[in-house]
Amino acid sequence: MSDKMLKKLKILADAAKYDASCASGTAGKRQANKGDKGIGSLTGGTGICHSFTPDGRCISLLKILMTNYCIYDCHYCINRISSNVKRARFTVQEVVDLTLNFYKRNYIEGLFLSSGIINTPDYTMESMVKIAKSLRLDHGFKGYIHLKTIPNAAPELQEEAGLYADRLSINVELPTQKSLNKFAPEKDLSEITGAMTKLKNKITEHKTSKTYTGRRLPRFAPGGQSTQMIIGADGANDKTILKSSVNLYQTQKLRRVYYSAFSPIPDSSPVLPLKPAPLIREHRLYQADWLLRFYGFKVDEILQGTKDDMLNMDHDPKMSWALKNRHMFPIDINKADKLLLLRVPGLGARTVHKILSIRRYANIAWEDLAKMRVPLGKIKPFITTSDYNPPAYLLDSKDLGQVMKQPNQLELFTTAT
Ligand code: SF4
């Protein structure tokens, strides 16, 4: 790779790291050839991130921006027009070549492509579509493609993008129009959700309809769509954020809402906070999001009794809820229904599934939970089994909340059996 390309790659991969909507971290150290350095060896992992496909596989993606020029001025974004960063831009052909080059060497299994807006939203979206189209049609690229689409680009371009991409995403960025007005004045929440609705309808149409000859329509973004929200740049509390997520899951059928804790960017705008949002807040939001989607919780239950409608940072949201609803515990592992089991701190959805299958033919004892690798210290005050009843003082203890903050709760309760 030429020095010029390497420089561009460094700038455009670095600029893409602020997008949380596909990443779970950079790729590990995978040496291609002994002695290789930099981009070829992947020891630095420039532009490579891990992501999860809709079927749960962890894959490596080339995660880049097409360009970090942008005509918009979103205050929280390092690529905004008023930012004083080094700029770079890939041509369509350069992104295609780079992706194929990495793919053929087995460095990546796909591409995550986003971009600042150059000239017009349509012009930018058209270039991104050209990249995906060329990869698929000219080169038979079978890898994963995730395109970040531009909400106010022409619907025909969004639709074309869905024919070549596995997943599409449109960043909502902030949960309310009021926040967007302040921090991203060119963005309009109704325009963003309108674009999401069009994509949702197209995804459904391609999944369910057939042509007049009875053949299925071509695949359209089979991995669905996702979005990202920045946490802690505006004053939105966790209730506002979670309600906005629930609304997006319900109305737009999003696969994921990604939360990205705001961290001050170089050359940041004076309207932004000076301090980063705590990462634990991002983590708690992901936990709450999971409870909303898979555990039957409602936003108001998760935030029951919390201060200022913010999640409790000391406990995970399920533990926080259980501590406030001690009258519902202990529950009998051998009799409780699925929804109640899902509310027990320390019991994940998979474990609940196992418990339900085992107890069809046998009673579950304490040791069975240990075999299932259930965190016994965490679960101890909240359940009964065929051979175990928690002493009443565990649930009544004023210190229970304090004890449950500890990393190894079991040891603190060893005398309490
Ligand atoms: S439109 Fe996107 S790239 Fe441009 S400034 Fe806003 S967030 Fe940044």
Side-chain angles (χ1 to χ4, degrees), residues 104-125:
K104 283 177 189 163
R105 293 180 189 204
N106 254 352
Y107 295 166
I108 56 163
E109 290 153 282
L111 169 70
F112 172 90
L113 184 67
S114 182
S115 182
I117 296 167
I118 19 170
N119 297 340
T120 62
D122 281 0
Y123 176 81
T124 313
M125 192 73 222

Side-chain angles (χ1 to χ4, degrees), residues 70-74 76-77 79-81 115-117 173 187:
C70 189
I71 56 173
Y72 285 6
D73 206 19
C74 308
Y76 48 79
C77 179
N79 306 319
R80 70 191 189 282
I81 193 166
S115 182
I117 296 167
E173 307 288 19
K187 293 199 172 172

